[in-house]
Amino acid sequence: MTTKGAKPTHALGRALFGAAMALIGLQHIYNANFVAVILPPARNTFGPEYFFVCLAGMLLFFTGIVLATGAFVRAAGLLLGFALLAALAVGQLPGLAGPAAGVLASWTNPLKLLSLSGGAFVAAASRASRGRTFGRACLGIMCLVFGADHFVYGSFVASLVPGWIPAPHFWAYFCGAALLAAGATFLTGILARAAAALFAAMVLTWLVILHVPLALRSAYGPSGEQWTNAFEALAFGGIALMLAVASPAQAKAQE
């Protein structure tokens, strides 16, 4: 199944999301100790755990390539979406048992994984709206928690603002407020398309001025965490671009 007739903005968003997933997949294979977003890192390179890490990497890579190129999008999106939900249940949620569940920062990777899963369903939702609704809700939940992070860990977030930008604490809190607003909008569905467009602009701006420079400075780091952050920002920007376009049902109603 191809996506002939897809709107350019949606096609661009899907391509960005697919490329990001493919790149994260390559990280699984290239560096087993990368930051644990999809699966926890393998303790022993070339051990049994590394086999599953590589298997997950190949799934991410090939489904990401399929989504980016626009062929068999629905099948690839559904496969990736359900696989990421399974990884969330098996690889991430068990780590939240006990005191960790009460620490806001402990939810960072599980919520990223939830949002990436939702993005895969958005990419697959060429005709039905349920996938878009689920993906938008996942992105909304992530935005609410990450917005709260900006206030709880304000000093840390401010330290990430590039030095050439004045008033780093202001931007940390401003972006936190923007994330909270976006999260509420995505969950309620009110002005969700406009919020998605603004969210995409914000995240892709972060990608250019923050994540890519940090990744280039730590190109030979042991975990590749900054590269993972850059690929995630690319993926979230792609999801938002797909959500910024009217669903097929909405487009038909506007005709």
Side-chain angles (χ1 to χ4, degrees):
M1 179 185 297
T2 60
T3 57
K4 291 182 179 179
K7 291 189 176 182
T9 302
H10 185 281
L12 174 60
R14 190 189 65 244
L16 295 180
F17 175 74
M21 299 311 299
L23 289 167
I24 293 176
L26 287 178
Q27 280 192 297
H28 283 65
I29 301 169
Y30 172 74
N31 187 355
N33 295 315
F34 78 111
V35 62
V37 178
I38 309 300
L39 290 175
R43 297 190 187 94
N44 299 311
T45 303
F46 304 119
E49 292 174 324
Y50 184 60
F51 169 78
F52 290 105
V53 170
C54 286
L55 188 64
M58 288 187 287
L59 174 65
L60 291 170
F61 177 77
F62 286 112
T63 55
I65 291 297
V66 169
L67 290 175
T69 57
F72 302 100
V73 166
R74 183 167 175 79
L78 291 175
L79 174 60
L80 179 60
F82 283 116
L84 292 176
L85 282 180
L88 173 65
V90 175
Q92 295 290 350
L93 292 184
L96 293 174
V103 180
L104 199 59
S106 299
W107 290 88
T108 299
N109 285 335
L111 288 175
K112 286 181 179 179
L113 186 50
L114 177 65
S115 188
L116 292 174
S117 172
F121 287 117
V122 171
S126 58
R127 291 184 175 85
S129 61
R130 292 181 180 179
R132 287 174 60 89
T133 302
F134 176 74
R136 193 183 69 214
C138 292
L139 190 62
I141 294 170
M142 186 191 75
C143 286
L144 285 178
V145 176
F146 285 10
D149 279 342
H150 278 63
F151 291 93
V152 175
Y153 307 107
S155 296
F156 170 74
V157 176
S159 70
L160 299 177
V161 176
W164 54 270
I165 298 178
H169 281 84
F170 165 78
W171 289 110
Y173 296 133
F174 175 83
C175 290
L179 286 170
L180 290 173
T185 301
F186 291 148
L187 288 176
T188 61
I190 301 173
L191 298 175
R193 287 173 54 198
L198 292 172
F199 177 81
M202 181 174 68
V203 172
L204 294 176
T205 299
W206 292 348
L207 173 66
V208 173
I209 69 173
L210 173 63
H211 294 298
V212 169
L214 286 175
L216 291 174
R217 286 203 295 268
S218 61
Y220 302 101
S223 67
E225 179 178 357
Q226 296 299 341
W227 281 110
T228 307
N229 291 339
F231 299 150
E232 289 165 356
L234 184 65
F236 297 142
I239 295 171
L241 285 176
M242 289 189 286
L243 291 173
V245 179
S247 68
Q250 291 171 328
K252 185 176 180 180
Q254 293 170 2
E255 292 177 353

